[in-house]
């Protein structure tokens, strides 16, 4: 094998099915990889990815974090908010948003998250009483995160199915599509219009939701504009919804593949957070994040020019044997701590990390209170095809109800 045969194509379906053998070869043979055809560089080793996340000056976010051409460019912040900004604009917007999106607000949301989870679980398990397989993504993992975001923002119950459908359409890609399709653009516009109307209503009459809290957020007379609030709401839909759905399904899939690891979780639901953490390490939702070189960057005796795209691969970093012992084994309870990069690191560390972890903990604990066991119908499981996230579009399971 020569180095020239090492290949990374984030749009390749074979890569989507199992990226980890590709990552291993990159780490070993091409730690700084170049794809001329798609025009990017990639970093795959844990140490390099971590440095990349923490170097927010030379590795800029200002053109967004996706490789997809329509998502990249100076307009990226309209839908990706401060995730597609550098300081000082990033720090200003993030600080203002943090005034509304507080740890306390997330804590207070937990009982309501539990209620939403139980509603969807009860409906799913009702279907499962026949002994037939139920789609864990369609009936549970795909519904909960968007409903939680809608709850947080104050979207009325009656509108949530429609808002969820738009959010799904924003993310959907058909086979072979390497850019944002028209259907996703249309769904994005529908969501933006919907949120514009919601913000306009709150301007007339504030309520106790996050949308109102963002309107009220103020630092030394500086406030968020309507466009900034809508941009953040859209970021929540893209970053907060999709990745949590994938986390819930990835946890179920790898738990099924490693039943010995779940025995202790069934016995003690206090171990659910450890299950969540190992899933985030072993098969993270966010696999690939793009940065743009600002100035120039020298790595592995190679100078990467200004304006080039560098992909950071946390999915690869988490399987780096330089950092984790037996990284290809799924071991619930292993020591991970600050080595995890599913939520990034440094200035752009994910603001919603505590929300995602809380949702996953609640969802999986409530599921395990109700079942004795489950099996995934792997033959009919369908993977999502995306250039940056990894997970399932459909995950049929059979459950043994308590």
């Amino acid at each position: 094998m020569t180095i020239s045969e090492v290949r990374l194509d984030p749009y390749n379906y074979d890569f989507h099915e199992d990226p980890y053998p590709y990552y291993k070869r990159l780490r070993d043979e091409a730690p700084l990889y170049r794809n001329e055809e798609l025009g990017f560089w990639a970093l795959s080793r844990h140490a390099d990815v971590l440095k990349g996340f923490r170097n927010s000056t030379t590795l800029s976010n200002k053109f967004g974090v996706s490789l997809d051409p329509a998502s990249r460019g100076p307009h990226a912040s309209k839908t990706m908010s401060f995730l597609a900004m550098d300081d000082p604009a990033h720090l200003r917007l993030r600080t203002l948003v943090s005034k509304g999106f507080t740890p306390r607000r997330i804590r207070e949301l937990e009982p309501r998250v539990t209620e939403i989870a139980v509603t969807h679980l009860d409906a799913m398990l009702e279907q499962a009483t026949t002994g037939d397989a139920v789609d864990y993504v369609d009936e549970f993992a795909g519904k909960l995160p968007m409903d939680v975001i809608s709850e947080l923002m104050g979207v009325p119950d009656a509108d949530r199915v429609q808002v969820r459908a738009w959010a799904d359409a924003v993310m959907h890609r058909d086979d072979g599509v390497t850019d944002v399709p028209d259907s996703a653009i249309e769904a994005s516009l529908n969501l933006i219009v919907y949120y514009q109307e919601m913000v306009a209503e709150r301007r007339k009459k504030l309520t106790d939701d996050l949308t109102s809290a963002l309107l009220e957020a103020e630092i030394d007379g500086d406030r968020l504009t309507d466009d900034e609030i809508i941009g953040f709401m859209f970021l929540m839909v893209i970053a907060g919804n999709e990745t949590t759905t994938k986390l819930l399904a990835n946890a179920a899939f790898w738990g099924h593949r490693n039943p010995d690891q779940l025995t202790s979780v069934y016995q003690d639901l206090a171990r659910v957070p450890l299950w969540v953490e190992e899933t985030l390490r072993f098969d993270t939702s966010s696999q690939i994040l793009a940065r743009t070189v600002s100035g120039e960057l020298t790595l592995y005796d190679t100078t990467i020019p200004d304006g080039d795209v560098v992909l950071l691969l946390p999915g690869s970093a988490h399987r780096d044997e330089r950092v984790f012992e037996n990284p290809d084994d799924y071991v619930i309870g292993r020591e991970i701590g600050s080595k995890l990069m599913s939520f990034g690191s440094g200035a752009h560390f994910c603001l919603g990390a505590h929300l995602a972890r809380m949702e996953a903990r609640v969802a999986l604990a409530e599921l395990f209170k109700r079942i004795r066991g489950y099996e995934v119908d792997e033959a009919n499981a369908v993977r999502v095809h995306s250039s940056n996230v990894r997970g399932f579009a459909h995950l049929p399971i059979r459950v043994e109800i308590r």
Side-chain angles (χ1 to χ4, degrees):
M1 289 273 177
T2 61
I3 285 182
S4 62
E5 289 174 292
V6 182
R7 181 151 173 79
L8 172 65
D9 177 357
Y11 298 105
N12 177 289
Y13 272 32
D14 186 56
F15 172 75
H16 296 164
E17 286 302 319
D18 186 5
Y20 296 105
Y22 292 86
Y23 290 155
K24 177 157 180 45
R25 289 199 58 204
L26 287 174
R27 289 193 304 273
D28 291 346
E29 300 172 37
L32 175 64
Y33 168 81
R34 174 69 180 159
N35 185 315
E36 286 293 349
E37 185 191 338
L38 291 171
F40 67 79
W41 303 82
L43 291 169
S44 50
R45 288 183 183 173
H46 191 283
D48 295 331
V49 175
L50 185 61
K51 272 190 205 133
F53 276 130
R54 292 185 174 173
N55 180 0
S56 52
T57 45
T58 312
L59 289 174
S60 162
N61 282 49
K62 68 185 171 192
F63 295 119
V65 297
S66 168
L67 188 61
D68 299 349
S71 303
R72 287 195 63 69
H75 61 283
S77 62
K78 288 192 171 36
T79 52
M80 294 302 276
S81 187
F82 51 74
L83 186 56
M85 293 179 183
D86 295 330
D87 288 341
H90 157 261
L91 184 62
R92 172 200 163 257
L93 192 51
R94 187 183 171 110
T95 309
L96 276 166
V97 163
S98 300
K99 288 270 186 189
F101 193 70
T102 59
R104 180 181 169 182
R105 184 176 291 278
I106 303 311
R107 267 199 314 279
E108 290 173 353
L109 190 65
E110 185 168 331
R112 189 66 190 111
V113 172
T114 306
E115 282 174 26
I116 296 169
V118 167
T119 302
H120 290 315
L121 270 176
D122 287 350
M124 181 178 85
L125 295 177
E126 179 67 31
Q127 284 183 37
T129 51
T130 60
D132 291 337
V134 289
D135 191 331
Y136 173 86
V137 174
D138 273 356
E139 302 304 327
F140 184 50
K143 288 182 171 177
L144 177 70
M146 194 60 219
D147 283 359
V148 170
I149 289 166
S150 288
E151 178 75 26
L152 195 59
M153 291 177 183
V155 173
D157 278 348
D159 295 350
R160 288 185 189 177
V161 172
Q162 176 62 75
V163 168
R164 202 163 63 224
W166 284 330
D168 288 345
V170 168
M171 301 307 292
H172 181 75
R173 298 288 179 276
D174 285 327
D175 190 351
V177 174
T178 60
D179 206 350
V180 181
D182 291 345
S183 53
I185 292 168
E186 185 185 343
S188 302
L189 292 171
N190 284 330
L191 266 181
I192 287 168
V193 168
Y194 181 86
Y195 289 144
Q196 278 171 337
E197 288 167 0
M198 221 169 102
V199 170
E201 279 174 26
R202 298 297 189 281
R203 283 233 179 260
K204 290 180 203 148
K205 186 170 188 289
L206 291 169
T207 53
D208 62 354
D209 53 35
L210 177 61
T211 309
S212 302
L214 293 172
L215 282 165
E216 290 187 288
E218 180 257 333
I219 299 170
D220 299 334
D222 184 18
R223 288 176 181 271
L224 295 163
T225 66
D226 285 9
D227 281 353
E228 286 169 342
I229 292 170
I230 291 157
F232 175 67
M233 291 163 95
F234 205 86
L235 174 66
M236 293 272 290
V237 169
I238 293 177
N241 167 36
E242 177 80 351
T243 49
T244 309
T245 288
K246 302 299 173 276
L247 166 59
L248 289 172
N250 289 343
F253 181 80
W254 292 113
H256 151 81
R257 275 279 182 92
N258 298 272
D260 60 308
Q261 291 295 314
L262 282 188
T263 307
S264 66
V265 183
Y266 281 109
Q267 291 165 349
D268 179 9
L269 293 181
R271 287 181 63 80
V272 168
L274 299 175
W275 179 17
V276 172
E277 291 305 295
E278 176 63 350
T279 304
L280 285 166
R281 181 202 71 84
F282 187 79
D283 199 18
T284 187
S285 311
S286 293
Q287 291 273 322
I288 296 176
L289 289 142
R291 297 289 191 265
T292 306
V293 175
S294 177
E296 63 177 36
L297 183 63
T298 301
L299 289 163
Y300 294 97
D301 299 324
T302 305
T303 298
I304 305 173
D306 181 65
D308 273 20
V309 175
V310 175
L311 301 185
L312 303 177
L313 311 179
S316 171
H318 290 156
R319 297 287 192 101
D320 190 344
E321 48 288 296
R322 295 159 190 82
V323 175
F324 296 101
E325 199 175 329
N326 302 321
D328 295 328
D329 294 346
Y330 187 72
V331 182
I332 292 172
R334 76 156 73 224
E335 180 57 45
I336 302 170
S338 61
K339 293 181 283 196
L340 191 76
M341 287 185 276
S342 297
F343 301 107
S345 187
H348 285 276
F349 182 81
C350 175
L351 200 59
H354 51 310
L355 175 62
R357 282 182 163 121
M358 182 265 279
E359 275 182 73
R361 172 174 53 77
V362 167
L364 295 169
E366 290 300 326
L367 174 67
F368 270 30
K369 281 179 191 173
R370 288 166 175 73
I371 66 170
R372 266 202 296 273
Y374 70 96
E375 274 193 2
V376 171
D377 173 7
E378 289 195 34
N380 290 301
V382 179
R383 284 209 167 272
V384 165
H385 294 292
S386 158
S387 62
N388 53 357
V389 297
R390 179 167 159 78
F392 292 92
H394 299 288
L395 195 71
I397 63 167
R398 283 189 174 76
V399 296
E400 197 187 329
I401 297 167
R402 280 189 193 273

